[in-house]
Amino acid sequence: MGLVELERKRLRSPRRGTRIEAAYRLGIMRASECTEDLLKLLEQEGAESTAFVVGRAAAKCAGSLEELHRLLILLTRQHPEAHQLIADILASSSLDTGTLLTELLRQEEDEHLLTVALIGMSGRNEPEALGALDRLVLSGHREIRIKAAKILLQYTHLLPMERIGELMRHPDWEIRAAAVKAAGDQRLDFYLGALVQSMADEEWWVRYYSAKSLSRLGPAGFEALCEAAGAADSGVFRESALEAVHEELDRAAATASREVRQIPHYNRLNLIYRRMLNASGGGRPAGSARISS
């Protein structure tokens, strides 16, 4: 009797510890012929924590996406709050789960299955899922909306320009924050005006990422940031803008001190800063060091 058959036989042991150990060993061997037996054992485990050991073994052994789908249904039904762990178990499969995840996002309505699918989709390159993600931004479940929007914003190069603008104005502040952050990460100059407007958002994180993004849009973004800092009526908004201005100027100074070719860039930012903020009484303390070319 081979090792696989030996462990398969142990799955039927009356001793629970033996069954779990056998499942674990079959998972290590990725014995695809034992997937059905493992799924049956998983059903028996119910809400016990050992279900995750059996589930991971089944994921490693699964030879088809249909088997993985059944596995997901069982785990989310038995452990509806263990989204991250279930997504990690799914990722242990040797199968490409992109198609399964995309289909779940397109068709599934169950909140827990959708959450696991969204966690599994994060960081993947699956542009065919864009339509499904766009649908989920309208979900009635807040966490689903937020997760879907954040993944959607991984594909800014494939989205209509106005779609990102809509997300910047979304009622959920987490989505607004993700959208303004994406604009800076991708250097989307088109949204410079929208980022300035977002500097007045009521949520601190939206203001923070708006300021960070403006500072990443080169001299034009830095100038808009300085203008926002000088024009802000609220002390809170002004503080966010000034902090971003100072951080960007310090970063540029540090880079210029290491790389001579960056000195003109620093001098340009410093000139903008002094012209727009020092004249109105704001800005850096007198005597700040200046790097000259």
Side-chain angles (χ1 to χ4, degrees):
M1 181 181 295
L3 285 176
V4 170
E5 285 305 313
L6 175 63
E7 297 301 337
R8 192 175 195 174
K9 182 178 180 181
R10 296 178 74 218
L11 284 179
R12 298 187 289 273
S13 170
R15 299 183 60 182
R16 186 156 177 260
T18 300
R19 297 195 300 270
I20 301 303
E21 183 182 49
Y24 174 77
R25 290 181 176 178
L26 287 170
I28 292 176
M29 291 186 281
R30 295 188 181 269
S32 59
E33 63 269 36
C34 299
T35 307
E36 190 64 35
D37 296 319
L38 290 168
L39 290 174
K40 289 179 180 177
L41 179 59
L42 179 59
E43 287 188 71
Q44 297 171 19
E45 288 302 301
E48 297 292 335
S49 60
T50 47
F52 297 120
V53 178
V54 179
R56 190 177 296 276
K60 290 180 177 180
C61 292
S64 70
L65 295 180
E66 181 183 355
E67 290 173 337
L68 285 179
H69 190 191
R70 289 171 57 198
L71 170 65
L72 285 179
I73 291 173
L74 283 171
L75 284 175
T76 52
R77 184 182 300 159
Q78 296 167 346
H79 300 272
E81 303 303 321
H83 303 136
Q84 187 67 54
L85 181 53
I86 295 172
D88 181 66
I89 287 172
L90 181 66
S92 67
S93 171
S94 58
L95 299 175
D96 182 357
T97 58
T99 302
L100 172 60
L101 294 172
T102 300
E103 284 305 307
L104 287 173
L105 297 181
R106 283 176 181 159
Q107 301 178 8
E108 190 55 60
E109 296 296 336
D110 181 80
E111 178 185 2
H112 301 296
L113 277 172
L114 282 173
T115 301
V116 171
L118 287 166
I119 293 172
M121 187 65 77
S122 181
R124 295 180 63 97
N125 183 23
E126 302 287 348
E128 59 273 14
L130 285 180
L133 291 167
D134 215 22
R135 172 184 80 89
L136 292 175
V137 173
L138 302 175
S139 170
H141 300 288
R142 179 182 175 83
E143 289 304 315
I144 296 293
R145 293 196 303 270
I146 293 170
K147 282 183 169 59
K150 287 181 176 180
I151 299 173
L152 189 66
L153 287 164
Q154 294 175 186
Y155 303 94
T156 52
H157 59 294
L158 298 178
L159 296 176
M161 298 295 276
E162 181 52 31
R163 187 65 180 118
I164 302 174
E166 291 171 357
L167 294 176
M168 287 182 177
R169 299 186 296 273
H170 197 278
D172 295 326
W173 71 262
E174 294 93 339
I175 293 179
R176 298 198 303 276
V180 297
K181 182 177 184 296
D185 289 344
Q186 300 301 320
R187 308 293 199 277
L188 302 178
D189 296 358
F190 177 81
Y191 296 106
L192 192 149
L195 289 170
V196 171
Q197 292 179 355
S198 294
M199 283 294 301
D201 196 278
E202 61 185 12
E203 288 292 337
W204 185 87
W205 280 111
V206 179
R207 297 196 303 272
Y208 173 80
Y209 283 122
S210 296
K212 285 287 187 183
S213 290
L214 282 170
S215 70
R216 302 185 73 177
L217 296 184
F222 185 76
E223 184 168 344
L225 194 56
C226 289
E227 184 176 358
D233 296 328
S234 167
V236 175
F237 299 160
R238 178 177 171 80
E239 181 181 346
S240 297
L242 278 176
E243 182 178 355
V245 166
H246 292 164
E247 285 182 1
E248 180 59 18
L249 203 56
D250 289 343
R251 188 198 64 78
T255 303
S257 69
R258 296 191 303 269
E259 302 177 38
V260 174
R261 61 190 178 88
Q262 294 297 325
I263 291 177
H265 174 70
Y266 167 76
N267 283 341
R268 185 175 181 184
L269 295 189
N270 197 33
L271 179 64
I272 293 170
Y273 169 78
R274 292 180 179 277
R275 173 169 53 84
M276 301 193 69
L277 290 176
N278 277 11
S280 61
R284 303 179 77 72
S288 292
R290 182 175 188 274
I291 300 175
S292 300
S293 57

